[in-house]
């Protein structure tokens, strides 16, 4: 299994330094998790692209730092707020294009809303982001995220019905477990729509472990996806929780290479 790593694994390290670490570890693929608006400026993005190219690392995807704002600022009902904030997603899509990334990851809105909104409102707003991405050659994709609407298999099925071919999923193993879903139920249902995967391992009581340190069946996951013709990336996304991140990523890289 050919895998990459997300710069988020090294948070709160500066984004460009985190990418340097991913490159130094020999990962041929990466996800860039931007952390502030100044990192979206072209000179900064082009320097990151130069570093990735020099290290032989392909940047597959971009994760917006503004995910925490999406509930109110993109998927909320106040139109002017959407109009003011949507430019941030135009900048993220442009930055992704400059990096050569084909995927932008969206969290969306919370599962429990103070003022319930029709699902069609969510789907229409998401469709507007899809169109913004299309103009830059970037696919805007829904990630399954615990405590968000997208945690639900049924919600994602209805979203898929609404968006048709514009529906694409970024599947995150740990998020499905946190939401109480068997990851393989997600994989079997959306194997034809998943275009990118966030990898982590797990065991009872711990849902965000370096791959190879838990009991998750990565071979089964790979067989389901690649049996459906999957051509997307597998990117390790774990959080630094007191362990040596570089050491663990190196271990996971070697472990997954054998699958």
């Amino acid at each position: 299994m050919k895998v990459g790593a997300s710069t988020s694994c090294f948070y709160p390290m500066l984004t460009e330094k985190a990418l340097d670490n991913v490159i130094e570890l020999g990962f041929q693929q990466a996800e860039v998790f931007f952390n502030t608006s100044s990192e979206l400026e072209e000179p900064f993005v082009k320097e990151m692209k130069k570093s990735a190219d020099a290290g032989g690392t392909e940047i597959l995807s971009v994760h917006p730092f503004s995910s925490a704002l999406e509930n109110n600022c993109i998927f909320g009902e106040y139109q002017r707020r959407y109009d003011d904030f949507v430019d941030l997603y135009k900048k993220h899509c442009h930055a992704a294009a400059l990096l050569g990334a084909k995927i932008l990851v969206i969290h969306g809105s919370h599962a429990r809303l103070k003022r319930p909104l029709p699902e069609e409102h969510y789907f229409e707003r998401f469709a507007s982001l899809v169109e913004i991405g299309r103009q830059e050659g970037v696919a805007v994709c829904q990630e399954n995220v615990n405590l968000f609407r997208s945690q639900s298999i049924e919600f994602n099925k209805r979203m898929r019905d609404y968006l048709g071919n514009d529906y694409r999923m970024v599947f995150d193993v740990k998020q499905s477990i946190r939401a109480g879903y068997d990851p393989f139920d997600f994989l079997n249902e959306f194997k034809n729509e998943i275009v990118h995967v966030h990898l982590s391992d797990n065991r009872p009581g711990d849902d965000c472990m370096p791959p190879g340190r838990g009991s998750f069946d990565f071979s089964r996951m790979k067989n389901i996806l690649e049996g459906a013709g999957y051509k997307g990336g597998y990117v390790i996304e774990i959080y630094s929780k007191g362990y040596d991140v570089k050491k663990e990523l190196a271990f996971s890289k070697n472990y997954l290479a054998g699958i």
Side-chain angles (χ1 to χ4, degrees), residues 3-6 29-31 60-61 196-200 233-237:
V3 300
S6 173
Q29 299 177 332
E31 176 173 279
L60 301 179
S61 54
H196 191 62
V197 177
H198 287 160
L199 296 178
S200 58
Y234 300 98
V235 172
I236 300 170
E237 187 188 65

Side-chain angles (χ1 to χ4, degrees), residues 44 50 57 71 82 117 140 168 213 221 241 253 257:
F44 183 90
K50 187 185 299 183
T57 300
N71 181 65
Y82 168 85
L117 292 172
V140 175
R168 300 175 183 88
R213 299 299 192 190
M221 177 195 71
K241 298 188 293 185
K253 179 174 178 286

Side-chain angles (χ1 to χ4, degrees), residues 2 12 18 21-22 29 32 35 46 52 54 73 81 94 103-104 116 125 166 184 199-200 209 212 217 244-246:
K2 184 179 178 181
N21 277 336
V22 171
Q29 299 177 332
V32 169
N35 285 297
K46 288 179 177 179
C73 298
R81 188 184 298 136
H94 185 59
I103 290 169
L104 185 79
R125 287 287 173 85
D166 285 336
F184 296 103
L199 296 178
S200 58
M209 303 176 68
D217 192 341
D244 186 327
V245 179
K246 289 188 75 171

Side-chain angles (χ1 to χ4, degrees), residues 139-151:
V140 175
C141 307
Q142 177 68 68
E143 183 176 17
N144 62 301
V145 184
N146 183 40
L147 302 180
F148 283 69
R149 282 184 159 186
S150 59
Q151 71 180 352

Side-chain angles (χ1 to χ4, degrees), residues 56 61 68 79 110 116 127 153 157 164 192 216 223 230 249:
S61 54
Q79 182 65 40
H110 299 163
I153 288 177
K157 287 168 66 175
N192 294 311
F216 185 72
N223 290 338
Y230 182 73
L249 285 178

Side-chain angles (χ1 to χ4, degrees), residues 78-125:
Y78 195 71
Q79 182 65 40
R80 186 179 294 158
R81 188 184 298 136
Y82 168 85
D83 295 339
D84 287 345
F85 275 86
V86 74
D87 281 350
L88 192 55
Y89 286 81
K90 294 178 182 179
K91 289 183 177 181
H92 273 100
C93 287
H94 185 59
L98 290 174
L99 291 170
K102 300 299 183 183
I103 290 169
L104 185 79
V105 184
I106 299 296
H107 283 192
S109 67
H110 299 163
R112 294 185 178 182
L113 300 172
K114 292 181 179 180
R115 288 172 55 88
L117 292 172
E119 288 183 348
E120 289 74 13
H121 171 85
Y122 183 98
F123 301 155
E124 289 169 6
R125 287 287 173 85

